[in-house]
Amino acid sequence: MQTLIFIAIVLIVLIFTSIQSQWEMNRKKRKQLLDEFEKPLERELDYNVYQNIRIFDEMTSGENELHIDADTWDDLNMDDIYMQMNNTNSSIGREYLYYMLHNPCDKEERLKEIDRLSREFTQNEDWRIKMQEQFSAMGYAGRASVYDYIHEIMKFSEKSNLVHYLMQLWLIASVFVMIFFRADFGIVLFVCAIGTVVISYFKEKAIIENYLECAKCIVRMIDSAGKICKMRISFIQEYQEKMEENLKHTTKITKRFFLITTGGSYSGSLFEIVLDYIRIIFHADLIRFNQLVKEIKENSSRILEMYETLGFLESCIAVAAFRNKLLLWCVPDLKKGNSYHVVDVYHPLLDHPVANSLNTGRCILLTGSNASGKSTFLRSIAVNALLSQTIATGTARKYEGDYYQIVSSISHRDDLVNGDSYYMVEIKALKRILDMAEQSGHKVLCFLDEVLRGTNTVERIAASTQILKSFATEGRTLCFAATHDIELTWLLDGYYENHHFDESFENNDVQYNYILKDGPAVTRNAIKLLAQTGYDKKLIADAVRMTEEFEKNNVWRMET
C-alpha cells in the first residue's frame, strides 16, 4: 500500500512540475511577444535565411506592374526597414511581409483592410498574442522557404506502395513457414526478408528525407490554421471561414503524417524507439508519405491559399507593431491626380529625424551643399510612398498622393561583371526609368540623386537638362531630383519647382538644420569642409582663389 502511495505522490509531483514548467514557458513567451510589440527589435538574419525569405516574392514578382525592383529596394535601404518591421514569428509571416513590402497596391479596399486589421490587432492584445503563439508554433522552415517547400513536394514523383506491401507479405509468410512448416527454412526466409526490408527502408528514406521536412512544415501550417479557426475572433471571421473551407479538404494530410518522422524530430523516448522499429520493419512512414504526397498534390491550391491567408494576417500584426514604435504615423490619403502633399514627413530609420513638409503638383529639383539633407529627403519621400501603398502607413503627420509606380536611381557603382563603367550603369538606370514612364499604366514616381555624376561637367549639364525635361513634359512622371549643378535650377526653371537645403558656419564648424527651403541653393561648403577635415591651408586658399576667379571670368586659371 505504501508503495502505491509513493508511486502516486511521484506521479502527482511529476504532473505538477510539468504543468508548472509549461505555465512558466507560456508566461515567458507572452512577455517576449509583448516586449517585441512595444520595443525595437534586435533580430538578425544570416545570408541563407534572407535568401529563402525572398523566394515567395521572386516567384510571384511578374504578377504586379508596381513591383519594387532590386535597384530601388537597395537605394531605399529597404532591407533595414524590413528588419525594423519584421515582428513575425514564423517563416510564412516573414516571407509574406517581404512580399508585401515589394508589392505596392493600387486597390483602396486592400489598403483599408490592412489598416483595419492592424488597428484591431493593436486594440485586441489577448487575441493578438494567442494568434502569435500559433504562428510561433508553426515556427521557421529549415533549409528553404515554406513557399518553396510546398512547390518542391508538389514536384515529387508519386510511387506505388505495392513494393512495401509485398515486403510485409514476405515477412508474414516467413513467420508462417517457420511456425507451421520448417523452422530452419522459415528462419532463412525471415532473415533474408528482414535484411531486404531494412536495406530498402534506409535507401528509400534517404531519397525522401528532404521531402519529409517539406511535409512536416505543411502539416504544422495546417495544424496552426485549425487552432486559429477555433478561436472565433470576430474581426478575422472572414479569414477564418476561408481557412475552414480549406481545412475541410486538408485534414487528411495531418492524419497521414502520423508515424512519419524526420531526422530532426527524434526524441529518444522509449515510445519513439518502438515506433522507429515499426517504421523500419513495416515501412509505415514510407507508405504514409506516398499517401501524403497524393493528398498534398490534390489540395495544392488550398494549401497555397492558407499560406497566403496566414502570411497576410501575421504581416498585419507586424504592421501594427511597426506603427506602435513610430514617432508619428498616418493613414495615407491616396487618389488619382497630380497633387502631392506631405506634412512633417521623416525617415523611419533615423533616431532623431528632422521632419519636412511639401505641397506640390510639379517635379522637384533639390540643390544644397554636401551632407545638407538632399539624399535623406529623397529617401524619406520614396519610403513614405512605398509604405503608403504597401502597409497603409505613412511616417508623416499627413500623406496625400497618387497610386504610383515607384522607381529610383540613387546609389550606383561600377559593374565589373558586365564590364560597365559607373557612367554606363547610370545611363542604363535612367533609361529603365524613361522606358517605365512610357509603358506603365500608372503614374511613375521617380527619385534621382546627382544625375550623370559619372561624366564631364559640360555634357552632364546638357544631358541632365534634357533627361529631366523629358520627365517633366510627358506628364506621367513625378520626378524628385537632387543635384550639385546649380545651372540646372535656371535651365529647368519652367519645368521643375526648386527647393534646397543649406547650412551655417560657427567657429569654423558647419551646422546643418536639414530643413527644406524654397528656391535654389545659394551656399556651398565643399572647400570649407576640406578645412574642417585638416587639409593644408595653402591648398585651401588656392582652391578658394580659383573658384573666385572662375565665378568672375568664367575661366579656370592655375597659379603661376
Side-chain angles (χ1 to χ4, degrees):
M1 186 65 180
Q2 289 180 339
T3 304
L4 291 174
I5 293 172
F6 175 77
I7 292 172
I9 291 172
V10 169
L11 288 173
I12 291 169
V13 169
L14 288 173
I15 293 169
F16 177 79
T17 304
S18 177
I19 293 171
Q20 187 181 39
S21 176
Q22 187 62 47
W23 181 86
E24 182 63 19
M25 286 174 60
N26 292 341
R27 186 190 67 80
K28 287 181 178 179
K29 185 63 181 178
R30 181 183 175 87
K31 184 178 184 304
Q32 177 193 337
L33 294 172
L34 285 170
D35 287 345
E36 289 182 346
F37 194 83
E38 299 288 341
K39 300 174 184 177
L41 296 172
E42 296 181 358
R43 296 181 179 181
E44 293 184 5
L45 298 175
D46 65 35
Y47 175 79
N48 290 329
V49 170
Y50 208 81
Q51 293 301 106
N52 292 338
I53 289 171
R54 298 165 57 174
I55 289 174
F56 173 49
D57 174 66
E58 289 175 351
M59 290 179 72
T60 57
S61 60
E63 300 172 5
N64 182 10
E65 181 186 59
L66 302 184
H67 185 266
I68 301 297
D69 64 31
D71 290 337
T72 302
W73 181 269
D74 291 340
D75 281 346
L76 304 186
N77 307 114
M78 285 304 298
D79 280 339
D80 295 326
I81 292 174
Y82 168 77
M83 288 305 300
Q84 186 185 69
M85 195 184 302
N86 182 23
N87 184 258
T88 61
N89 291 280
S90 73
S91 286
I92 293 174
R94 66 188 184 188
E95 289 168 27
Y96 196 92
L97 179 63
Y98 187 87
Y99 160 84
M100 183 185 280
L101 289 174
H102 269 83
N103 287 274
C105 177
D106 60 357
K107 301 291 189 295
E108 182 182 7
E109 297 78 14
R110 177 176 170 85
L111 292 171
K112 282 185 175 180
E113 182 65 0
I114 293 170
D115 174 51
R116 182 188 74 83
L117 287 172
S118 299
R119 291 176 187 273
E120 292 284 7
F121 284 127
T122 300
Q123 295 163 7
N124 295 276
E125 183 180 277
D126 286 340
W127 282 128
R128 182 188 76 235
I129 289 174
K130 284 183 186 341
M131 287 186 65
Q132 284 181 293
E133 287 171 347
Q134 287 308 313
F135 290 129
S136 185
M138 283 196 298
Y140 298 110
R143 60 180 179 82
S145 77
V146 177
Y147 193 77
D148 203 25
Y149 273 152
I150 295 170
H151 283 81
E152 195 169 323
I153 202 166
M154 283 162 55
K155 291 184 284 188
F156 182 80
S157 299
E158 296 175 53
K159 296 182 179 180
S160 170
N161 283 326
L162 179 60
V163 174
H164 304 303
Y165 292 139
L166 289 174
M167 287 186 183
Q168 290 178 16
L169 187 61
W170 184 2
L171 273 173
I172 294 168
S174 65
V175 172
F176 187 81
V177 169
M178 188 168 44
I179 295 173
F180 296 104
F181 294 96
R182 290 183 54 184
D184 54 345
F185 183 63
I187 290 171
V188 171
L189 277 178
F190 183 77
V191 170
C192 290
I194 287 291
T196 304
V197 164
V198 171
I199 291 170
S200 65
Y201 174 83
F202 285 106
K203 184 179 178 181
E204 187 71 20
K205 187 69 177 283
I207 294 172
I208 69 168
E209 188 65 48
N210 288 335
Y211 295 97
L212 286 174
E213 188 62 37
C214 302
K216 181 180 179 182
C217 204
I218 293 169
V219 167
R220 285 205 309 260
M221 180 186 75
I222 295 170
D223 185 57
S224 290
K227 289 176 180 176
I228 288 173
C229 287
K230 290 177 182 177
M231 292 180 189
R232 294 300 168 199
I233 306 171
S234 60
F235 62 86
I236 63 164
Q237 183 178 346
E238 171 191 345
Y239 301 94
Q240 288 176 319
E241 289 173 354
K242 186 190 298 185
M243 287 191 291
E244 281 175 344
E245 184 60 33
N246 289 322
L247 286 168
K248 289 177 184 177
H249 304 275
T250 56
T251 49
K252 281 185 181 179
I253 293 173
T254 54
K255 293 175 182 177
R256 299 284 189 204
F257 200 71
F258 178 68
L259 287 179
I260 297 178
T261 185
T262 62
S265 64
Y266 188 76
S267 66
S269 67
L270 180 61
F271 179 71
E272 185 66 47
I273 292 170
V274 172
L275 278 181
D276 223 15
Y277 280 114
I278 292 172
R279 294 183 187 109
I280 293 169
I281 295 171
F282 297 103
H283 289 199
D285 51 348
L286 303 182
I287 293 170
R288 285 279 187 169
F289 177 75
N290 288 331
Q291 296 168 341
L292 183 70
V293 169
K294 183 181 178 183
E295 292 289 343
I296 290 173
K297 286 185 174 183
E298 288 176 354
N299 294 282
S300 59
S301 61
R302 296 184 177 93
I303 291 169
L304 288 170
E305 187 173 44
M306 268 194 286
Y307 169 93
E308 293 195 32
T309 301
L310 290 167
F312 177 69
L313 290 172
E314 190 173 13
S315 294
C316 288
I317 293 176
V319 172
F322 177 67
R323 287 177 169 184
N324 196 49
K325 297 163 193 169
L326 290 173
L327 300 171
L328 177 71
W329 66 274
C330 68
V331 177
D333 181 11
L334 303 178
K335 53 195 171 188
K336 297 290 184 182
N338 295 322
S339 175
Y340 186 87
H341 187 195
V342 288
V343 177
D344 292 338
V345 67
Y346 69 95
H347 199 294
L349 291 180
L350 299 178
D351 292 330
H352 304 288
V354 175
N356 281 291
S357 301
L358 180 69
N359 190 359
T360 186
R362 300 174 62 196
C363 295
I364 300 295
L365 190 64
L366 292 172
T367 48
S369 304
N370 298 286
S372 60
K374 301 187 302 298
S375 297
T376 299
F377 181 74
L378 284 182
R379 288 185 170 91
S380 297
I381 296 294
V383 166
N384 264 268
L386 192 154
L387 296 182
S388 293
Q389 290 177 232
T390 53
I391 63 168
T393 304
T395 59
R397 192 173 304 280
K398 180 179 184 179
Y399 180 97
E400 291 181 3
D402 202 339
Y403 295 97
Y404 302 109
Q405 182 160 7
I406 303 161
V407 65
S408 68
S409 175
I410 295 176
S411 304
H412 300 295
R413 56 182 176 271
D414 296 350
D415 188 346
L416 298 178
V417 175
N418 295 317
D420 286 341
S421 67
Y422 183 95
Y423 179 69
M424 285 302 298
V425 170
E426 196 173 17
I427 62 174
K428 285 181 178 179
L430 289 169
K431 184 63 166 63
R432 119 183 176 273
I433 299 175
L434 287 167
D435 291 343
M436 187 180 292
E438 290 180 2
Q439 299 165 10
S440 178
H442 296 77
K443 191 162 190 172
V444 172
L445 179 63
C446 70
F447 300 88
L448 314 176
D449 195 9
E450 300 300 337
V451 185
L452 302 182
R453 76 184 87 174
T455 192
N456 65 82
T457 303
V458 173
E459 290 184 296
R460 179 177 68 248
I461 291 172
S464 296
T465 300
Q466 295 306 315
I467 290 171
L468 291 174
K469 178 184 173 183
S470 70
F471 284 133
T473 53
E474 53 83 29
R476 300 181 65 250
T477 303
L478 180 60
C479 178
F480 284 72
T483 182
H484 281 290
D485 293 321
I486 202 69
E487 295 89 343
L488 294 178
T489 62
W490 52 267
L491 285 168
L492 294 166
D493 187 43
Y495 303 96
Y496 279 71
E497 192 175 294
N498 280 297
H499 293 272
H500 74 278
F501 292 90
D502 60 16
E503 73 292 316
S504 60
F505 281 84
E506 297 178 12
N507 301 321
N508 280 334
D509 186 26
V510 64
Q511 302 289 327
Y512 300 106
N513 55 41
Y514 305 113
I515 296 174
L516 182 69
K517 297 177 181 177
D518 294 337
V522 294
T523 62
R524 291 191 295 250
N525 69 5
I527 296 176
K528 290 179 180 178
L529 287 174
L530 295 180
Q532 194 179 48
T533 50
Y535 275 67
D536 180 75
K537 290 182 179 180
K538 184 177 183 309
L539 181 153
I540 294 166
D542 289 342
V544 170
R545 178 192 55 74
M546 287 182 68
T547 303
E548 292 172 349
E549 181 75 22
F550 178 81
E551 288 178 336
K552 182 178 180 180
N553 301 313
N554 202 33
V555 176
W556 289 111
R557 294 180 188 273
M558 285 290 287
E559 184 180 10
T560 57

